[in-house]
Amino acid sequence: MASYIDAAAIVSLGTALVIYQDALGLAPGEVGAASAALTFGIAVGALVGGKLGDRFGRRPIFTVTMVLITLAACTLVFADSFALIFAAALVLGLATGADLPVSLSTISEAADDTNRGKLVGFSNLLWMVGMIVSLVAGGVLAGMGRFGGQALFVHIGVVAMLVMVARLTIPESAEWLAARDERRAGVTTIRADRTRVVELLRGPYRAPFLGLLVFYALTNLAANTGGQFGAYLLVNVGGVDLQAATLIGLPLIPLGIVGYLWFMKIADSPKRFTYFTVGAVCWVLAQLVPAVFGITLATSLISGVIGIVGTSFAFEGIMKVWTQEQFPTLLRTTAQGAIIAVARFLAAILASVTPLLVAFSPTLFYVFLATVIAVGCATAWMVFRRRDRHSEFDTEVLADPQAAAQPALT
C-alpha cells in the first residue's frame, strides 16, 4: 500500500492544486512550489527513511510514516493558506518517501526465493491502482470546487489510517531481528557485520548499487516525463485537442495491468533476465517512434504500447527485486532509499527544464530520452547478466570473511 499511497499523493495533489488555485487564490508560483515540496519530500524521505529502517527496524518506521501521512492529509483538507499547503505537502512527501523502501524490505524479508519477486512486483500493480483511482476521483470531483480537492485528500487520509491499523498486526521483520541480535552478540555474520553506508561503495555491493543507481535514475527520467508531460507534448507540439490528449492513456491502462501481472509471473524465474533484455530494447524503441515519425495521436499510441513492455520488464519492478536481493539486511533499505532518492531528484531537475528543451527541439528531446534509457539499461545489463540469480538472502547468514581483518563492532 506504500506504492498505492505514493501514486495517490502525486496525482491527488496535482489535481487539488489546480482546484485550490481558484478556491484559495494560489499564485502559479505557489502551485509550483507546493508540487516541488512533495517531490523533494519523497526524495529526502526515501533517503532518510531507508537508513532509519536499517537502524531501528522496519516496524517503527512504517508505523510512524502512516501517522504522518494521515496528519498531512488532514492538514491539506483544512488548509486555507499557501504556508499550510506547502508544509503539509512537504510532510506528505517525506512520509511517503520514507515508507517506500521500508515497506518493500518488510515484504521481501517475509517472502522466500519462490515468491519474493512476485510479491515485490505486486507493489507496481498497486501503484497503478492508486493512480487510476485518483485520476477517476479527480475527474469526478474537479467541478465541485474546494470540496472536490478536500475529498481527494480525505481519500488519502482514510487509506493511510486503515493501512496503519492493519500494520499494527504485522510483527517486526524476522530477518532484521536476527541480524540485530547477531550484531549485539558480536556474531560476525555478513548481515550483522556490514551495516555502514560506505559498504555500498566497495566490495561486492559497489557494482549492484551503482548499477541500480544509474539504471533507475536514467530510466525514471523517461517514465516521469511521460507521466508529467505526455499531454503537454501532444497539445503543444502535436497540436492535439486537450481532451483527446488526456484520454489517449485510457486504452493503455489495461495493457499496463497485464504487463505488471506478467512480470509477477516471471519475476522469480530464470527467464526474467531475458524479459529484461527485451524490455530494454522496447523502452528505447518507444522513444524513437516520436523522434522519427513526429508527435501525433498515432505515434503516441504506438509508442505507449511498445513502452509498456519496457516499463513492465525493464524498469521499477526489476529494480525493486534486484535491490532486495543484492544487499544484506542492515543495508537493504538504505540502498533502496538512496536509489529512489537520486532518481526523484534527477526527475525533478529534468521536469523543471523540460518545456524549454521541448521548445528547442522535440525530436532531439526524444533522442535524449532514448539515449539515457539505453545507457541505463546497458549499465544494468552489464552488471546483472552474471548477478541476476544471486541472492544475498542465501549468503548473508555466513561468517563475514572481512571480520578477521577489522575490529568487532558493537
Side-chain angles (χ1 to χ4, degrees), residues 107-161:
I107 294 168
S108 69
E109 289 162 6
D112 56 43
D113 291 342
T114 65
N115 62 10
R116 183 172 294 112
K118 184 187 282 85
L119 293 175
V120 171
F122 185 58
S123 65
N124 284 349
L125 189 60
L126 285 177
W127 197 97
M128 179 169 282
V129 172
M131 177 193 70
I132 295 169
V133 170
S134 300
L135 284 174
V136 172
V140 172
L141 299 167
M144 297 183 182
R146 187 183 177 189
F147 173 79
Q150 290 174 316
L152 292 173
F153 294 127
V154 167
H155 161 241
I156 294 174
V158 169
V159 170
M161 259 194 304

Side-chain angles (χ1 to χ4, degrees), residues 39-368:
T39 303
F40 179 78
I42 292 173
V44 174
L47 194 64
V48 175
K51 181 59 181 173
L52 292 177
D54 283 335
R55 177 69 179 84
F56 297 106
R58 316 322 191 193
R59 194 171 190 272
I61 305 305
F62 69 53
T63 302
V64 170
T65 54
M66 286 301 119
V67 174
L68 291 176
I69 289 170
T70 302
L71 293 175
C74 289
T75 302
L76 286 166
V77 170
F78 298 106
D80 56 1
S81 67
F82 166 69
L84 274 178
I85 291 173
F86 181 88
L90 181 62
V91 173
L92 181 62
L94 288 168
T96 302
D99 198 69
L100 286 168
V102 176
S103 60
L104 287 169
S105 290
T106 303
I107 294 168
S108 69
E109 289 162 6
D112 56 43
D113 291 342
T114 65
N115 62 10
R116 183 172 294 112
K118 184 187 282 85
L119 293 175
V120 171
F122 185 58
S123 65
N124 284 349
L125 189 60
L126 285 177
W127 197 97
M128 179 169 282
V129 172
M131 177 193 70
I132 295 169
V133 170
S134 300
L135 284 174
V136 172
V140 172
L141 299 167
M144 297 183 182
R146 187 183 177 189
F147 173 79
Q150 290 174 316
L152 292 173
F153 294 127
V154 167
H155 161 241
I156 294 174
V158 169
V159 170
M161 259 194 304
L162 293 174
V163 171
M164 179 181 66
V165 171
R167 284 183 174 184
L168 294 177
T169 67
I170 300 174
E172 180 58 82
S173 162
E175 294 279 344
W176 184 87
L177 288 173
R180 182 203 62 180
D181 291 344
E182 288 172 354
R183 184 170 177 77
R184 285 179 174 177
V187 179
T188 53
T189 58
I190 291 174
R191 65 183 176 187
D193 205 42
R194 300 187 186 180
T195 63
R196 293 172 297 174
V197 176
V198 70
E199 300 278 3
L200 294 173
L201 298 175
R202 65 188 188 192
Y205 309 123
R206 179 172 53 199
F209 178 66
L210 295 179
L212 287 166
L213 206 65
V214 172
F215 165 61
Y216 186 57
L218 294 184
T219 53
N220 188 60
L221 291 178
N224 192 73
T225 298
Q228 281 191 290
F229 295 99
Y232 175 90
L233 287 163
L234 279 170
V235 172
N236 291 280
V237 180
V240 177
D241 175 74
L242 178 58
Q243 185 177 18
T246 304
L247 294 176
I248 192 173
L250 292 180
L252 299 178
I253 290 175
L255 293 177
I257 292 174
V258 170
Y260 286 144
L261 289 172
W262 198 341
F263 174 78
M264 289 171 61
K265 182 178 176 61
I266 58 92
D268 298 295
S269 76
K271 296 187 245 183
R272 72 183 184 194
F273 193 76
T274 301
Y275 275 91
F276 164 76
T277 304
V278 173
V281 173
C282 289
W283 239 130
V284 175
L285 291 177
Q287 312 309 311
L288 292 178
V289 169
V292 174
F293 300 104
I295 301 173
T296 65
L297 279 176
T299 57
S300 293
L301 192 58
I302 294 169
S303 174
V305 171
I306 298 172
I308 283 172
V309 181
T311 55
S312 297
F313 303 111
F315 183 45
E316 192 166 303
I318 193 64
M319 179 277 290
K320 290 176 178 176
V321 175
W322 279 334
T323 304
Q324 299 307 312
E325 293 178 344
Q326 297 294 318
F327 306 104
T329 296
L330 298 184
L331 281 175
R332 188 166 290 123
T333 62
T334 301
Q336 181 145 289
I339 291 164
I340 293 172
V342 170
R344 297 289 175 114
F345 278 129
L346 289 181
I349 292 171
L350 179 62
S352 68
V353 297
T354 291
L356 296 176
L357 296 175
V358 171
F360 177 74
S361 173
T363 298
L364 288 179
F365 181 67
Y366 272 104
V367 169
F368 163 74

Side-chain angles (χ1 to χ4, degrees), residues 385-401:
R385 63 194 176 103
R386 299 187 186 278
R387 296 184 62 96
D388 176 50
R389 301 308 296 167
H390 169 79
S391 176
E392 198 71 14
F393 286 96
D394 299 327
T395 58
E396 67 173 1
V397 296
L398 302 176
D400 186 359

